[in-house]
Amino acid sequence: MGIKLNNIFALAGVSMREMYRRKDFYVVLILTVILTLAMGSMNFFNEPGVAGYIKEICLLLIWIFALVIAITASARQIPSEIESGTIFPLLAKPVTRTEVLVGKALGCWIATGVALLLFYLIFGLLAASWEHSLDFSLNIQSYFAHWVMLGIVISMAFLGSVIFAAPSSNTTICLVVVVAIMVLGRHLNNLSLNMSEPLRTIIQVIYFSIPHIELFDFRKLLVHNYPAVAWDKFFLLLIYGIAYSLIFTLIACLVFNRKRLR
Amino acid sequence: MKEKITTVYIICLLFVLCFGLACDLDRWQDSSSRKQDESSGFFSAVLGETEGLISALLYLKADVYFHRGYYPSIFDNTSESTGSKMEKTAGHPDEHGHNHEKCEKDYSREPLDWIDRFSRSFYPSVHVHADEIPRGQKEILPWLKLSATFDPHRIENYTVAAFWLRSLGKINEAEEFLRDGLRANPGNPELLFELGKIYKDDRKDITKARNILELSLARWREVTAKEKEPDTFLLQQILVHLGQLERDQRNYPLAIKYFEELKKYSPNPQAIQKQIDEMKEEMNKSAAN
């Protein structure tokens, strides 16, 4: 079964345009700027250049909003096509189900990437205006790590959208899973050491199988002005993220190809 | 028609009942909010008990900033700790964070697996304190001020912030913040002691420093009068500063009195006795001349 890249890019363009027509992104972007500026206008003991808390709040908002945009947009792509019946004329054209899913996922990923770029540009501008300096390397690394992490989340949401019936349940499950990995992911193996068998092995299997999306969170490095990550380690991290995105997309394609649409 | 009239009566009755209840609730709310306003202000009235929790979290955040993000999570095993390092550094006048003792927040261990090893490249895994970089301690201050806004009765917010403000040379701001603390906690001996230190060490206003430190000592005695085993750490600090102040003013009898009392609580009474002996010797020399 051949995959035509033209079809994938055409479908990606359609889902990108669809995402930009929605107002969610613009609202959260303005909200982030307003909240950050409001926090930045506070005076703490007449000390200039205090930027840590502003950066922390701004990055927290970026992370929350980017995650919500990525999951909600991805979770509704396939179900809305099925529900409205537009999937049938689409599949009547010379387009395979794999192309539809990959095209839509790619569109979501690129659209969230562009939105994320705007977020990081604003963050960089605000941070530089308060601190009068900016570590370009770390900011660029942070952006790409965040974008690749969203790639994993988007592919997870697409897999969920072909498994679960309703987009709402898929969205909730994806958010819970992502937050759980962010909070617990790094500590699972450490926690399993205090457990008895077979729970210990089960936890360890989960630890080594889940995508460790918490690794892509460079917020602490940015907030506390640490130097950029070693580039070899950073590229390894990107490969790790892309590999997980491909795995989830591949499984989603397999499930979608076997799915009865009505 | 009759049913309609009954319904109107019921509605009127319910309205009167609601009105009466609302008046009663309003009066009750007024008195309770007045009580809260008297004690803590806006946040207390709105958040209730939650403000203490938020304040504690913000205080913890200040400690995270002191350790520049290198901070153990609830899943990391740390050595037993009884308070934040930031607070301890601020509490010891002779220890300004440049000591090389092992910090309680040292939780480094050998990586358990490749993910653990790999992950250490992407978050702070080197322990550096904020005061080890130029003016790094300024990043702690917003969290302390926010924490004090949520819970004005958390004394350590004022004392720790005052210490770091003094280290940044912001004496006026430190005094202003301590006075805010004293307005919320009138006569608190810890806040009075910190204020006394500002007058003694920074403003060099000996008379005011003496008055405030003596008030702090009197308030400490008053507060701990009913306690069986009072925490004498603050008492020792007050006595040290009062003793030093009187010694520097060559008021040896009073200085000896403070040092004699300090000797009872000090872990190193020999050193205190040595200082007392030196002062007695100085007194004898002056008397001979």
Side-chain angles (χ1 to χ4, degrees), chain A residues 45-91:
Chain A
F45 307 108
N46 306 318
E47 180 65 32
V50 180
Y53 77 100
I54 306 168
K55 291 201 290 186
E56 174 135 6
I57 289 162
C58 187
L59 283 170
L60 179 70
L61 291 173
I62 291 173
W63 268 76
I64 292 171
F65 290 147
L67 208 58
V68 170
I69 289 173
I71 292 177
T72 50
S74 315
R76 67 165 180 260
Q77 291 289 328
I78 301 288
S80 68
E81 293 275 4
I82 296 172
E83 204 174 309
S84 62
T86 46
I87 190 90
F88 300 109
L90 187 65
L91 289 175

Side-chain angles (χ1 to χ4, degrees), chain A residues 2-14 94-95 99-100 103 106:
Chain A
I3 292 173
K4 286 181 183 161
L5 283 177
N6 282 350
N7 288 346
I8 290 173
F9 289 133
L11 282 158
V14 171
V95 180
E99 286 166 358
V100 169
L106 188 68

Side-chain angles (χ1 to χ4, degrees), chain B:
Chain B
M1 187 67 188
K2 208 178 175 182
E3 267 179 29
K4 216 173 181 179
I5 291 167
T6 316
T7 317
V8 170
Y9 278 138
I10 289 171
I11 289 170
C12 283
L13 187 74
L14 282 172
F15 177 74
V16 170
L17 199 72
C18 287
F19 187 77
L21 199 65
C23 286
D24 193 49
L25 280 173
D26 190 48
R27 201 180 44 161
W28 171 78
Q29 197 187 3
D30 257 12
S31 64
S32 73
S33 66
R34 225 188 342 267
K35 259 185 220 164
Q36 280 173 333
D37 283 352
E38 277 164 14
S39 63
S40 313
F42 173 75
F43 285 110
S44 179
V46 175
L47 296 169
E49 295 297 310
T50 323
E51 61 169 3
L53 190 70
I54 297 171
S55 171
L57 282 172
L58 291 167
Y59 184 74
L60 193 74
K61 199 79 194 165
D63 201 29
V64 172
Y65 272 63
F66 177 69
H67 295 275
R68 296 192 70 218
Y70 181 89
Y71 211 75
S73 71
I74 51 166
F75 307 109
D76 291 303
N77 297 321
T78 50
S79 53
E80 277 184 41
S81 102
T82 50
S84 67
K85 171 76 181 167
M86 170 184 72
E87 189 184 326
K88 287 184 176 177
T89 306
H92 291 80
D94 300 319
E95 184 196 332
H96 296 288
H98 299 297
N99 55 344
H100 298 283
E101 69 182 64
K102 189 173 162 62
C103 178
E104 289 89 0
K105 295 294 178 284
D106 273 324
Y107 63 100
S108 56
R109 50 166 168 74
E110 282 299 302
L112 288 172
D113 51 80
W114 70 268
I115 295 172
D116 193 6
R117 190 178 296 110
F118 186 51
S119 72
R120 291 184 186 202
S121 310
F122 312 115
Y123 66 88
S125 47
V126 183
H127 196 168
V128 188
H129 288 161
D131 58 343
E132 288 168 37
I133 56 165
R135 293 187 84 79
Q137 60 268 53
K138 70 182 177 185
E139 298 292 351
I140 303 166
L141 300 171
W143 302 105
L144 293 173
K145 190 158 186 181
L146 287 171
S147 177
T149 313
F150 278 96
D151 185 2
H153 305 302
R154 186 179 282 275
I155 304 299
E156 56 266 36
N157 281 326
Y158 302 103
T159 54
V160 173
F163 173 82
W164 292 116
L165 282 167
R166 286 173 66 205
S167 75
L168 288 165
K170 294 198 158 281
I171 311 302
N172 292 338
E173 284 80 0
E175 185 183 342
E176 203 181 309
F177 196 49
L178 283 173
R179 287 196 184 279
D180 284 345
L182 279 167
R183 270 189 284 277
N185 309 276
N188 184 280
E190 241 177 296
L191 295 173
L192 286 168
F193 169 65
E194 286 295 329
L195 195 62
K197 276 203 298 186
I198 288 179
Y199 277 101
K200 176 179 166 274
D201 300 332
D202 302 305
R203 300 215 189 277
K204 313 285 180 201
D205 186 340
I206 301 302
T207 316
K208 266 194 180 174
R210 181 187 288 123
N211 289 341
I212 294 168
L213 287 172
E214 280 175 355
L215 179 63
S216 164
L217 184 63
R219 284 290 301 148
W220 185 89
R221 291 192 207 284
E222 213 178 299
V223 168
T224 57
K226 285 174 189 168
E227 287 178 29
K228 276 185 183 172
E229 283 180 23
D231 179 15
T232 58
F233 180 65
L234 178 63
L235 174 68
Q236 288 177 53
Q237 285 188 302
I238 300 169
L239 290 171
V240 164
H241 281 266
L242 272 171
Q244 283 173 349
L245 186 143
E246 297 301 350
R247 188 190 60 198
D248 295 345
Q249 295 301 304
R250 298 187 169 274
N251 193 357
Y252 294 124
L254 203 52
I256 289 170
K257 192 189 126 195
Y258 288 129
F259 279 119
E260 286 287 358
E261 192 180 350
L262 176 66
K263 211 168 68 174
K264 289 184 219 164
Y265 307 105
S266 172
N268 190 6
Q270 293 86 2
I272 308 290
Q273 185 56 52
K274 199 180 158 196
Q275 288 195 50
I276 294 170
D277 294 342
E278 280 171 10
M279 277 189 280
K280 281 182 178 168
E281 207 174 298
E282 197 74 25
M283 274 170 76
N284 292 336
K285 269 186 201 169
S286 310
N289 289 336

Side-chain angles (χ1 to χ4, degrees), chain A residues 86-261:
Chain A
T86 46
I87 190 90
F88 300 109
L90 187 65
L91 289 175
K93 290 171 183 164
V95 180
T96 62
R97 288 189 182 196
T98 304
E99 286 166 358
V100 169
L101 194 137
V102 174
K104 280 185 173 291
L106 188 68
C108 283
W109 188 53
I110 295 170
T112 38
V114 175
L116 198 65
L117 184 66
L118 270 172
F119 272 125
Y120 270 85
L121 278 174
I122 286 167
F123 167 75
L125 276 171
L126 292 175
S129 66
W130 266 293
E131 287 187 319
H132 306 294
S133 65
L134 188 72
D135 185 346
F136 276 103
S137 311
L138 185 59
N139 274 280
I140 287 166
Q141 285 182 342
S142 186
Y143 165 71
F144 277 104
H146 196 167
W147 190 27
V148 169
M149 185 284 270
L150 287 178
I152 302 174
V153 173
I154 287 168
S155 55
M156 268 168 71
F158 267 89
L159 174 60
S161 74
V162 293
I163 294 173
F164 303 111
S168 54
S169 55
N170 182 24
T171 305
T172 314
I173 290 166
C174 281
L175 275 172
V176 169
V177 168
V178 168
V179 172
I181 294 175
M182 292 288 290
V183 176
L184 282 171
R186 194 156 66 85
H187 308 285
L188 278 178
N189 200 14
N190 193 15
L191 287 173
S192 73
L193 296 177
N194 302 321
M195 293 172 183
S196 53
E197 292 291 355
L199 199 61
R200 185 177 176 167
T201 311
I202 293 168
I203 297 290
Q204 283 182 343
V205 168
I206 293 170
Y207 174 77
F208 284 105
S209 357
I210 56 168
H212 284 271
I213 52 180
E214 78 279 3
L215 300 181
F216 299 84
D217 184 359
F218 287 13
R219 279 180 298 161
K220 276 187 179 174
L221 300 178
L222 278 171
V223 168
H224 300 285
N225 293 326
Y226 279 90
V229 174
W231 285 98
D232 55 336
K233 298 254 171 67
F234 174 70
F235 284 119
L236 267 175
L237 182 73
L238 295 191
I239 292 166
Y240 172 83
I242 291 164
Y244 264 101
S245 302
L246 291 176
I247 289 168
F248 284 126
T249 313
L250 200 67
I251 299 169
C253 289
L254 289 173
V255 176
F256 189 48
N257 278 321
R258 287 158 201 269
K259 192 179 169 82
R260 284 185 60 153
L261 294 179

